[in-house]
Amino acid sequence: MWEKSAEIQRFVFARRFAKIAAELMGVDAVRIYHDQALFKEPGGGITPWHQDQIYWPVDTDNFITMWMPLVPVSEDVGSMNFANGSHKFGYISKLAISDESQKTLGQYIEAKGLEVENYGALAAGDATWHYGWTLHSAPGNPTNTMREVMTVIYYADGAKVIEPDTNARKKDLQKWLPGLAPGDLAASKLNPIVYKKDV
């Protein structure tokens, strides 16, 4: 989205957001992977359990996503559901977002005894943050208003591109890391450094 609007670019490249990402990951510099507008229409269904990082052909676990509503999110809609501590297990399943991922990963969460947390109602400008390997899902939207959310995905500077082992990762390599090949620094024109700790 940041390529389409100077206003959105200021939001996505905001140093204050990127600084939080760097501090949460414990790194000195972060790059943008990509941003995304996630608008869930009135009556929209659930977003099934999944791990974001199965889509990303980059060799670091230091990926984090900021999920920020642009409008108030009521208790009826809520924020995302997170399986607390699930990021510590790393890669769990190659399942893409689907009914099957909802069932299979839901069973995994139950078998592991992981606590599921939802932060409920959020104001516009509040944010949740989750690692790339965190199992998460989102409730449906039973209201008559659009749930408007922006996300920004950050990763640690210095990471490299890996050989994509799925079609999803091949597509991501072409779309979000254009012109790069396995072994290259993950630093295309679409992945600028947006925060670097002052030395």
Side-chain angles (χ1 to χ4, degrees):
M1 297 292 294
W2 67 262
E3 292 182 282
K4 302 178 185 299
S5 159
E7 186 175 4
I8 294 174
Q9 182 174 335
R10 285 195 299 275
F11 175 91
V12 172
F13 286 20
R15 179 179 168 84
R16 64 189 185 281
F17 300 155
K19 183 175 187 287
I20 294 169
E23 290 174 350
L24 288 171
M25 292 189 290
V27 300
D28 290 337
V30 295
R31 292 181 179 272
I32 293 286
Y33 187 57
H34 70 81
D35 63 76
Q36 200 168 18
L38 299 176
F39 283 33
K40 186 168 284 189
E41 70 279 2
I46 67 165
T47 302
W49 287 110
H50 64 283
Q51 291 179 297
D52 293 336
Q53 200 149 336
I54 65 166
Y55 296 97
W56 303 336
V58 183
D59 72 349
T60 181
D61 290 334
N62 277 323
F63 263 96
I64 200 164
T65 298
M66 179 185 75
W67 191 92
M68 181 179 285
L70 304 177
V71 296
V73 175
S74 70
E75 191 75 34
D76 290 337
V77 179
S79 57
M80 285 194 292
N81 301 312
F82 299 104
N84 285 344
S86 56
H87 67 286
K88 297 175 184 175
F89 297 101
Y91 172 89
I92 294 171
S93 170
K94 68 179 180 181
L95 288 172
I97 302 172
S98 62
D99 291 343
E100 181 61 26
S101 74
Q102 176 70 10
K103 177 184 173 183
T104 302
L105 295 175
Q107 291 170 342
Y108 178 91
I109 290 164
E110 188 175 336
K112 287 285 187 183
L114 299 175
E115 178 188 1
V116 174
E117 188 156 6
N118 184 298
Y119 293 95
L122 297 176
D126 284 346
T128 62
W129 297 78
H130 64 276
Y131 282 105
W133 290 124
T134 301
L135 285 168
H136 60 289
S137 64
N141 181 4
T143 73
N144 59 7
T145 58
M146 184 77 77
R147 187 212 68 183
E148 301 178 15
V149 170
M150 276 294 292
T151 67
V152 183
I153 304 164
Y154 305 89
Y155 63 96
D157 181 39
K160 293 185 177 180
V161 176
I162 59 172
E163 185 70 45
D165 54 354
T166 63
N167 285 334
R169 283 185 167 178
K170 287 176 185 174
K171 289 178 184 175
D172 257 38
L173 176 57
Q174 293 170 355
K175 188 168 186 178
W176 307 121
L177 299 161
L180 301 184
D184 289 345
L185 189 66
S188 82
K189 64 182 181 179
L190 297 183
N191 317 113
I193 292 175
V194 285
Y195 173 78
K196 192 167 189 175
K197 187 176 181 179
D198 296 330
V199 182

